[in-house]
Amino acid sequence: MTKKIRPFLVLIFLFVSVYKVETATITIDTLDPGVSLTVNNTIASEGSVFYFTDGRTVELKTSYNGKTYIDVIESNYDINISVHAVDYSTHPGKIIYLDTDLNYTPYDIFIITSSDASNIFEFDFSSPPASDAVKIIGFHAMVPYAQINKLG
């Protein structure tokens, strides 16, 4: 009986090896206070992990202060996502640095809101990544006037 089972097991192993589906992992890191996030309509929280087949379209729906923002990516490799959100009731009076003021990490989503039109909201990096490109999934600046400097 062992001789009959062995070829069957080898055949199953070969089938699984040839048709292995590659997956990409999306891990949710930081969600700033007041932010809610869904990943393909599934509620996410800090520490949530999602698995997708390579190349699958992923919808990230972020809500903050009663507004919803949608970003769409294609899952091709493992990433960690953080969502940074801030509402400036008054202009901070300086450049807003994505790295030092808003804690940038690769593959972030940024939501910046304000109704204060007293000055231009200027966005930049204090120290742009020297060895890698800046990677931002979504940048939503809902402010009266904005300037985004070259980020890398």
Side-chain angles (χ1 to χ4, degrees), residues 12-102:
I12 288 175
F13 175 76
L14 289 174
F15 178 79
V16 171
S17 297
V18 170
Y19 291 100
K20 181 182 175 203
V21 176
E22 296 295 322
T23 59
T25 303
I26 295 177
T27 303
I28 307 305
D29 281 345
T30 304
L31 297 176
D32 280 1
V35 168
S36 65
L37 174 68
T38 62
V39 179
N40 281 1
N41 295 316
T42 300
I43 296 172
S45 58
E46 290 182 2
S48 294
V49 180
F50 299 89
Y51 302 93
F52 299 100
T53 55
D54 278 357
R56 180 165 177 209
T57 300
V58 179
E59 180 185 80
L60 304 161
K61 193 180 296 185
T62 311
S63 296
Y64 179 68
N65 279 349
K67 301 226 185 300
T68 300
Y69 309 89
I70 297 174
D71 298 291
V72 178
I73 62 172
E74 189 174 280
S75 62
N76 288 314
Y77 41 86
D78 298 343
I79 60 173
N80 294 1
I81 296 175
S82 290
V83 180
H84 306 289
V86 63
D87 180 58
Y88 290 103
S89 56
T90 60
H91 193 284
K94 62 181 177 85
I95 296 172
I96 299 164
Y97 294 107
L98 300 182
D99 52 347
T100 55
D101 294 331
L102 300 179

